[in-house]
Amino acid sequence: MKSVKMLSFILLILLGTHITRAQDKTTNKPTIIFVHGVWADGSSFVDQITALQSKGYNVISVQNPVTSLDDDVAATKRAIAMAPGKVILVGHSWGGFVITQAGNDPKVSGLVYIAAFAPDSGESVATLSSKGPATDISKYFIPSGEFIFLSKEGMQKSFAQDLSIKLQNLIYATQIPLKQSAFNDKSISPAWKEKASWYIVTKQDKALSPELQRFMSKRIKARTVEIESGHVAMFSHSKEILGVIEEAASAQ
């Protein structure tokens, strides 16, 4: 009888150790925080969110007001504060401005830029854009008071030209407009000077020129991957995007 009790006790210890190790493996993973750009919202990362959640990652997708750089950084900082342990920030397009500043938080251990702006101190969208070839996306802007929407034609020709009509219409319908003054907001204290960075260049991009993307990725000394994609690569090349995010997460 004693031997049976001892065997049961040993089995309980082994089972508890296995569970603890499994829990540690999950809790040691960084939280992945997504930061969307202009004319998008937090659901634009749906493929990556569901894939990462299935692998045990804690994931947060920020819903930016896109009213100013400070407002969007504040929204991202709230998400960082909620995250347990280390954080990987993933920014798309304008979201690159946001993670460049919010990434200075000590919990942030890595930055992933997806066809995103990676500004230095004192740069705005306008000044940084002047460092590369212009795109024609501005001709599709639709002003509405202080805000700018993107037209359906612009969505189809410049923003999401490599997606299905169904997806183009979805992004068009759910877009968050930009407050015009935000494009003049200046970045400060770039986190990429201290934090490990990854950059995904979208070679078929008609909203943010690939040449400018390469300039920025080289300047921040990012681990760079180039893909045959338009601007919203999260939809058209979801697996490639996921792979880079997991690489960044495993490097921590």
Side-chain angles (χ1 to χ4, degrees):
M1 180 66 70
K2 288 183 178 180
S3 61
V4 172
K5 288 183 178 179
M6 181 60 70
L7 180 60
S8 299
F9 180 68
I10 292 171
L11 287 172
L12 284 172
I13 291 175
L14 291 174
L15 179 60
T17 302
H18 175 75
I19 292 172
T20 300
R21 285 176 178 171
Q23 289 174 337
D24 287 343
K25 188 174 181 182
T26 298
T27 56
N28 284 339
K29 290 182 175 180
T31 296
I32 312 299
I33 297 180
F34 291 99
V35 183
H36 67 82
V38 179
W39 309 304
D41 74 350
S43 68
S44 58
F45 301 100
V46 61
D47 290 342
Q48 292 76 38
I49 291 169
T50 53
L52 289 165
Q53 287 177 333
S54 71
K55 297 182 179 185
Y57 285 92
N58 183 47
V59 183
I60 302 172
S61 193
V62 179
Q63 293 287 13
N64 287 324
V66 202
T67 47
S68 72
L69 179 56
D70 285 347
D71 289 347
D72 288 358
V73 169
T76 301
K77 284 183 174 180
R78 289 192 290 271
I80 294 172
M82 289 176 58
K86 293 182 179 181
V87 168
I88 299 293
L89 291 180
V90 182
H92 173 246
S93 194
W94 160 258
F97 260 85
V98 182
I99 69 171
T100 293
Q101 195 163 312
N104 286 301
D105 189 288
K107 292 171 72 173
V108 176
S109 57
L111 309 168
V112 178
Y113 294 84
I114 306 171
F117 289 100
D120 203 345
S121 295
E123 291 181 331
S124 65
V125 169
T127 59
L128 184 50
S129 296
S130 69
K131 298 181 185 298
T135 63
D136 66 354
I137 194 167
S138 61
K139 73 181 186 181
Y140 300 111
F141 290 177
I142 301 177
S144 178
E146 295 182 271
F147 291 83
I148 299 174
F149 286 85
L150 187 65
S151 71
K152 183 172 286 189
E153 184 181 11
M155 194 67 69
Q156 294 171 349
K157 292 184 176 180
S158 289
F159 196 78
Q161 76 277 8
D162 54 344
L163 302 186
S164 67
I165 294 295
K166 182 179 179 179
L167 275 176
Q168 290 172 351
N169 289 339
L170 175 64
I171 299 169
Y172 173 76
T174 58
Q175 66 176 292
I176 298 178
L178 161 77
K179 190 172 184 179
Q180 296 186 46
S181 57
F183 269 177
N184 294 316
D185 290 349
K186 294 180 179 179
S187 183
I188 59 173
S189 305
W192 50 258
K193 289 190 175 181
E194 304 293 336
K195 307 294 175 76
S197 300
W198 285 256
Y199 198 107
I200 300 168
V201 174
T202 46
K203 295 167 67 176
Q204 305 301 321
D205 203 316
K206 295 183 179 181
L208 181 60
S209 75
E211 291 87 347
L212 180 57
Q213 292 183 47
R214 293 184 185 107
F215 164 78
M216 293 185 289
S217 65
K218 183 178 180 180
R219 182 172 66 173
I220 70 175
K221 298 180 173 60
R223 159 83 170 88
T224 303
V225 175
E226 297 201 4
I227 58 177
E228 296 289 343
S229 173
H231 193 57
V232 281
M234 306 87 69
F235 290 104
S236 61
H237 289 70
S238 58
K239 290 183 179 179
E240 290 93 329
I241 301 299
L242 178 64
V244 175
I245 294 169
E246 289 188 283
E247 180 183 321
S250 64
Q252 311 312 306

XYZ file of all heavy atoms in Angstrom, residues 74-134:
425
model
N -0.526 57.607 -26.838
C -1.192 57.385 -25.551
C -2.040 56.114 -25.578
O -2.050 55.339 -24.616
C -2.068 58.594 -25.202
N -2.739 55.877 -26.694
C -3.550 54.660 -26.823
C -2.669 53.420 -26.789
O -3.017 52.400 -26.175
C -4.352 54.707 -28.126
N -1.517 53.505 -27.425
C -0.594 52.367 -27.450
C 0.041 52.149 -26.080
O 0.233 51.005 -25.648
C 0.484 52.590 -28.520
O -0.157 52.753 -29.791
C 1.442 51.408 -28.602
N 0.343 53.211 -25.384
C 0.914 53.082 -24.034
C -0.073 52.422 -23.081
O 0.333 51.670 -22.181
C 1.335 54.452 -23.507
C 2.624 54.978 -24.123
C 3.026 56.307 -23.495
C 4.379 56.775 -23.999
N 4.776 58.072 -23.397
N -1.355 52.694 -23.266
C -2.353 52.026 -22.427
C -2.329 50.523 -22.667
O -2.459 49.726 -21.727
C -3.745 52.596 -22.705
C -3.956 54.010 -22.181
C -5.419 54.406 -22.214
N -5.923 54.595 -23.570
C -5.880 55.743 -24.240
N -5.320 56.813 -23.677
N -6.371 55.841 -25.461
N -2.152 50.127 -23.918
C -2.066 48.704 -24.244
C -0.807 48.094 -23.639
O -0.832 46.966 -23.106
C -2.082 48.512 -25.755
N 0.306 48.801 -23.727
C 1.564 48.306 -23.151
C 1.407 48.104 -21.649
O 1.879 47.112 -21.086
C 2.718 49.275 -23.457
C 3.001 49.314 -24.962
C 3.987 48.878 -22.700
C 3.993 50.395 -25.384
N 0.738 49.032 -20.987
C 0.542 48.927 -19.542
C -0.269 47.686 -19.170
O -0.078 47.111 -18.084
C -0.161 50.185 -19.022
N -1.166 47.255 -20.048
C -1.988 46.072 -19.795
C -1.220 44.769 -19.982
O -1.611 43.732 -19.456
C -3.188 46.059 -20.745
C -4.246 47.094 -20.459
S -5.536 47.032 -21.734
C -6.084 45.313 -21.581
N -0.135 44.822 -20.738
C 0.565 43.604 -21.134
C 1.428 43.055 -20.000
O 2.163 43.815 -19.360
C 1.439 43.880 -22.347
N 1.374 41.735 -19.783
C 2.265 41.126 -18.802
C 3.633 40.859 -19.439
O 3.733 40.324 -20.532
C 1.563 39.806 -18.469
C 0.818 39.460 -19.724
C 0.418 40.775 -20.349
N 4.694 41.272 -18.777
C 6.034 40.963 -19.285
C 6.439 41.788 -20.490
O 5.964 42.901 -20.706
N 7.304 41.195 -21.311
C 7.860 41.901 -22.461
C 6.826 42.099 -23.566
O 5.827 41.393 -23.638
C 9.061 41.125 -23.015
C 10.256 41.077 -22.083
C 11.406 40.331 -22.727
C 12.622 40.296 -21.804
N 13.763 39.578 -22.434
N 7.130 43.064 -24.441
C 6.204 43.439 -25.513
C 6.954 43.572 -26.831
O 8.065 44.108 -26.877
C 5.522 44.792 -25.192
C 4.793 45.356 -26.404
C 4.557 44.642 -24.011
N 6.330 43.071 -27.898
C 6.770 43.347 -29.269
C 5.724 44.264 -29.891
O 4.538 43.926 -29.924
C 6.889 42.050 -30.113
C 7.916 41.099 -29.513
C 7.255 42.395 -31.567
C 9.343 41.591 -29.566
N 6.160 45.424 -30.370
C 5.249 46.341 -31.051
C 5.326 46.120 -32.554
O 6.418 46.048 -33.119
C 5.608 47.793 -30.740
C 5.367 48.297 -29.310
C 5.784 49.763 -29.194
C 3.909 48.131 -28.897
N 4.172 46.022 -33.188
C 4.090 45.826 -34.637
C 3.304 46.989 -35.222
O 2.120 47.161 -34.921
C 3.394 44.496 -34.988
C 3.362 44.296 -36.501
C 4.080 43.324 -34.301
N 3.956 47.805 -36.051
C 3.292 48.972 -36.611
C 3.203 48.924 -38.118
O 4.168 48.560 -38.791
N 2.045 49.286 -38.638
C 1.847 49.345 -40.087
C 1.675 50.797 -40.511
O 0.929 51.565 -39.889
C 0.607 48.548 -40.492
C 0.240 48.697 -41.942
N -0.919 49.313 -42.365
C 0.900 48.317 -43.068
C -0.970 49.296 -43.690
N 0.123 48.699 -44.151
N 2.392 51.204 -41.557
C 2.240 52.527 -42.157
C 2.424 53.632 -41.110
O 3.468 53.728 -40.478
C 0.875 52.602 -42.852
O 0.797 53.700 -43.711
N 1.415 54.479 -40.900
C 1.474 55.518 -39.868
C 1.783 54.929 -38.494
O 2.399 55.582 -37.633
C 0.142 56.271 -39.847
C -0.154 57.027 -38.583
C -0.995 56.647 -37.581
C 0.379 58.302 -38.189
N -1.020 57.601 -36.583
C -0.179 58.634 -36.941
C 1.286 59.191 -38.766
C 0.110 59.801 -36.250
C 1.579 60.374 -38.088
C 1.004 60.666 -36.849
N 1.383 53.684 -38.273
C 1.667 53.024 -37.000
C 3.145 52.974 -36.679
O 3.534 52.833 -35.510
N 3.998 53.105 -37.710
C 5.432 53.150 -37.475
C 5.834 54.376 -36.670
O 6.738 54.318 -35.824
N 5.177 55.509 -36.939
C 5.425 56.713 -36.137
C 5.089 56.441 -34.678
O 5.815 56.853 -33.757
C 4.569 57.881 -36.646
C 5.313 58.840 -37.529
C 5.441 58.582 -38.882
C 5.900 59.978 -37.014
C 6.124 59.461 -39.718
C 6.588 60.865 -37.833
C 6.712 60.604 -39.196
N 3.985 55.737 -34.476
C 3.496 55.486 -33.122
C 4.435 54.559 -32.351
O 4.815 54.852 -31.210
C 2.067 54.904 -33.173
C 1.528 54.678 -31.760
C 1.141 55.819 -33.960
N 4.844 53.441 -32.959
C 5.696 52.496 -32.228
C 7.104 53.060 -32.046
O 7.805 52.693 -31.101
C 5.740 51.111 -32.894
C 6.484 51.118 -34.233
C 4.333 50.539 -33.055
C 6.733 49.712 -34.805
N 7.530 53.946 -32.933
C 8.852 54.563 -32.790
C 8.927 55.375 -31.507
O 9.979 55.431 -30.858
C 9.153 55.464 -34.003
O 9.280 54.640 -35.168
C 10.440 56.246 -33.823
N 7.805 55.973 -31.115
C 7.783 56.764 -29.888
C 7.361 55.929 -28.687
O 8.023 55.956 -27.641
C 6.837 57.950 -30.073
C 7.002 59.033 -29.029
C 6.358 60.345 -29.476
O 6.558 60.809 -30.591
N 5.595 60.942 -28.575
N 6.278 55.158 -28.820
C 5.795 54.339 -27.699
C 6.780 53.238 -27.338
O 6.794 52.744 -26.204
C 4.438 53.725 -28.052
N 7.638 52.860 -28.295
C 8.598 51.789 -28.077
C 9.674 52.099 -27.061
O 10.444 51.218 -26.679
N 9.739 53.336 -26.585
C 10.710 53.687 -25.552
C 10.334 53.127 -24.184
O 11.150 53.157 -23.267
C 10.849 55.214 -25.456
C 11.625 55.786 -26.637
O 12.772 55.437 -26.877
N 10.985 56.675 -27.388
N 9.130 52.632 -24.054
C 8.720 52.003 -22.795
C 9.649 50.825 -22.491
O 9.963 50.028 -23.379
C 7.274 51.502 -22.925
C 6.710 51.025 -21.602
O 7.141 49.950 -21.125
O 5.839 51.708 -21.048
N 10.122 50.692 -21.251
C 11.066 49.618 -20.913
C 10.533 48.207 -21.127
O 11.324 47.255 -21.236
C 11.387 49.878 -19.436
C 10.306 50.781 -18.937
C 9.880 51.598 -20.108
N 9.217 48.030 -21.198
C 8.659 46.701 -21.435
C 8.817 46.261 -22.890
O 8.731 45.074 -23.197
C 7.173 46.673 -21.062
C 6.911 46.812 -19.572
C 5.433 46.989 -19.281
C 4.653 45.718 -19.488
N 3.230 45.877 -19.022
N 9.050 47.217 -23.779
C 9.146 46.908 -25.213
C 10.551 46.404 -25.530
O 11.539 47.074 -25.257
C 8.824 48.146 -26.074
C 9.018 47.836 -27.556
C 7.403 48.619 -25.801
N 10.614 45.217 -26.113
C 11.915 44.625 -26.430
C 12.193 44.537 -27.921
O 13.309 44.230 -28.334
C 12.017 43.220 -25.818
O 10.963 42.398 -26.265
N 11.191 44.803 -28.759
C 11.415 44.725 -30.204
C 10.342 45.477 -30.971
O 9.216 45.668 -30.481
N 10.722 45.933 -32.172
C 9.827 46.699 -33.032
C 9.757 46.036 -34.400
O 10.793 45.696 -34.978
C 10.339 48.132 -33.205
C 10.680 48.915 -31.937
C 11.450 50.182 -32.298
C 9.422 49.257 -31.161
N 8.546 45.856 -34.916
C 8.355 45.304 -36.253
C 7.616 46.338 -37.092
O 6.494 46.743 -36.744
C 7.562 43.983 -36.225
C 7.349 43.469 -37.657
C 8.277 42.933 -35.388
N 8.243 46.768 -38.174
C 7.655 47.755 -39.078
C 7.151 47.053 -40.345
O 7.914 46.355 -41.014
C 8.699 48.805 -39.473
C 9.176 49.693 -38.350
C 10.189 49.286 -37.498
C 8.614 50.957 -38.166
C 10.640 50.113 -36.460
C 9.058 51.791 -37.146
C 10.069 51.361 -36.298
O 10.511 52.181 -35.281
N 5.872 47.247 -40.661
C 5.290 46.675 -41.879
C 4.962 47.831 -42.826
O 4.025 48.596 -42.582
C 4.006 45.879 -41.574
C 4.253 44.807 -40.510
C 3.473 45.238 -42.863
C 2.970 44.143 -40.017
N 5.753 47.984 -43.879
C 5.540 49.112 -44.803
C 5.246 50.378 -44.021
O 4.275 51.093 -44.280
C 4.393 48.794 -45.774
N 6.091 50.650 -43.042
C 5.784 51.679 -42.053
C 6.815 52.795 -42.034
O 7.979 52.598 -42.381
C 5.704 51.037 -40.667
N 6.371 53.946 -41.580
C 7.285 55.059 -41.341
C 8.158 54.748 -40.128
O 7.650 54.279 -39.105
C 6.496 56.348 -41.090
C 5.820 56.903 -42.306
C 4.467 56.695 -42.523
C 6.543 57.635 -43.235
C 3.838 57.216 -43.645
C 5.914 58.166 -44.369
C 4.571 57.950 -44.575
N 9.448 55.028 -40.259
C 10.379 54.863 -39.142
C 11.138 56.178 -38.986
O 12.256 56.328 -39.479
C 11.327 53.704 -39.399
N 10.526 57.154 -38.317
C 11.090 58.506 -38.278
C 12.233 58.675 -37.291
O 12.367 57.920 -36.327
C 9.893 59.353 -37.835
C 9.105 58.418 -36.966
C 9.244 57.070 -37.619
N 13.047 59.668 -37.561
C 14.053 60.122 -36.609
C 13.477 61.322 -35.867
O 12.402 61.830 -36.211
C 15.339 60.497 -37.353
C 16.567 60.428 -36.461
O 16.400 60.381 -35.220
O 17.696 60.420 -36.994
N 14.198 61.803 -34.864
C 13.728 62.958 -34.092
C 13.481 64.152 -35.007
O 14.302 64.453 -35.882
C 14.758 63.335 -33.035
O 14.894 62.313 -32.079
N 12.350 64.814 -34.803
C 12.030 66.025 -35.536
C 11.384 65.814 -36.884
O 11.010 66.784 -37.557
N 11.214 64.564 -37.306
C 10.608 64.290 -38.610
C 9.094 64.125 -38.502
O 8.587 63.543 -37.545
C 11.219 63.037 -39.240
C 12.668 63.228 -39.678
C 13.264 61.993 -40.332
O 12.830 60.869 -39.993
O 14.163 62.156 -41.171
N 8.392 64.627 -39.492
C 6.950 64.428 -39.634
C 6.717 63.553 -40.859
O 7.660 63.222 -41.593
C 6.246 65.772 -39.818
O 6.659 66.371 -41.040
N 5.465 63.210 -41.113
C 5.153 62.458 -42.331
C 5.592 63.251 -43.557
O 6.182 62.702 -44.496
C 3.645 62.132 -42.406
C 3.283 61.594 -43.785
C 3.260 61.121 -41.341
N 5.334 64.547 -43.531
C 5.669 65.385 -44.681
C 7.178 65.431 -44.927
O 7.639 65.237 -46.058
C 5.124 66.789 -44.467
N 7.965 65.662 -43.887
C 9.411 65.787 -44.081
C 10.058 64.443 -44.400
O 10.975 64.368 -45.212
C 10.083 66.405 -42.844
O 9.835 65.581 -41.684
C 9.557 67.799 -42.586
N 9.562 63.384 -43.780
C 10.125 62.063 -44.049
C 9.762 61.591 -45.450
O 10.585 60.995 -46.156
C 9.640 61.069 -42.996
C 10.214 59.640 -43.055
C 11.733 59.637 -43.157
C 9.751 58.832 -41.850
N 8.549 61.866 -45.888
C 8.119 61.458 -47.228
C 8.951 62.119 -48.318
O 9.144 61.550 -49.404
C 6.640 61.792 -47.439
O 5.824 61.060 -46.554
N 9.468 63.306 -48.045
C 10.265 64.029 -49.037
C 11.609 63.368 -49.308
O 12.294 63.709 -50.271
C 10.497 65.471 -48.579
O 11.364 65.525 -47.458
N 11.986 62.399 -48.494
C 13.259 61.710 -48.671
C 13.171 60.562 -49.679
O 14.168 59.881 -49.951
C 13.763 61.177 -47.323
C 14.033 62.274 -46.296
C 14.544 61.702 -44.986
C 14.690 62.780 -43.914
N 15.671 63.826 -44.262
N 11.983 60.322 -50.228
C 11.804 59.254 -51.211
C 10.857 59.686 -52.310
O 10.277 60.775 -52.261
N 10.679 58.841 -53.319
C 9.779 59.172 -54.426
C 8.340 59.361 -53.945
O 7.874 58.662 -53.041
C 9.887 57.949 -55.346
C 11.160 57.275 -54.962
C 11.338 57.534 -53.505
N 7.647 60.296 -54.556
C 6.252 60.545 -54.204
C 5.359 59.447 -54.769
O 5.682 58.818 -55.789
C 5.818 61.904 -54.733
